[in-house]
Amino acid sequence: MALRLGDIAPDFTADTSQGPISFHEWIGDSWAVLFSHPRDYTPVCTTELGAVARIKDQFDQRNVKVAAISVDPVDSHQGWIKDINETQHTNVNFPIIADPEKKVANLYDMIHPNASDTATVRSVFVIGPDKKIKLTLTYPASTGRNFAEIIRVIDSLQLTANHSVATPANWENGQDCVILPSVPQEEVEAKFPKGHTVLKPYLRMTPQPNID
């Protein structure tokens, strides 16, 4: 059965390029991104892993741990990491999970038979500290992922988890937000001291509340 938003992310133990992990324990009190790859030594995935390594500090700043997963074993991962570091001019600084028996791939519904009955699709899961799934994305094998978009969504998730706002179309960190319809108008001024604009009774905007 496909995982849905709000579901608890399945726990598992696995070997990785940085040693064995127990997934929920590894997440701890952090957020996490789990993203899958069809197999090692694939060209698009090589660029993706390099891209994540180069912006890992942005994930760190947001208290987000990242882990990749591929169905190949750890010794294959180690060889692939050398290629990634060489061709992408970076240093892979996060674990790549080994899943040769496809246990994790099946737990997370990463094999879509109509696309391929053996290879995992390019799945992305953003998981909160409560171990619940906050975001799922599925890309076709031909399209590399946009990790700037994943960072953008994490900013929105972390903002909206703590404030009574939502983020509008194409929102980026620092821009105005939508006040939730559940906030009564008589409470808005006290709740949003930076001010607000009423475009329609159901569409009220306010400066992003978690920045100065």
Side-chain angles (χ1 to χ4, degrees), residues 18-96:
Q18 295 185 351
I21 64 167
S22 176
F23 190 54
H24 281 193
E25 183 179 333
W26 175 79
I27 294 174
D29 295 327
S30 301
W31 291 67
V33 173
L34 177 67
F35 61 109
S36 62
H37 300 276
R39 61 188 181 277
D40 292 359
Y41 299 102
T42 51
V44 174
C45 296
T46 298
T47 66
E48 290 181 324
L49 289 166
V52 173
R54 288 193 295 272
I55 63 169
K56 185 172 177 292
D57 62 324
Q58 296 186 41
F59 290 104
D60 293 341
Q61 291 164 13
R62 293 163 172 82
N63 190 32
V64 179
K65 294 180 177 179
V66 294
I69 179 170
S70 169
V71 297
D72 290 310
V74 167
D75 59 346
S76 175
H77 291 353
Q78 300 293 6
W80 188 25
I81 286 170
K82 292 178 182 177
D83 283 3
I84 297 165
N85 291 343
E86 175 189 347
T87 64
Q88 306 304 304
H89 310 292
T90 188
N91 180 41
V92 173
N93 43 15
F94 52 87
I96 305 177

Side-chain angles (χ1 to χ4, degrees), residues 102-113:
K102 299 185 175 67
K103 291 180 179 178
V104 180
N106 287 319
L107 272 178
Y108 281 78
D109 193 33
M110 293 174 175
I111 296 176
H112 294 194

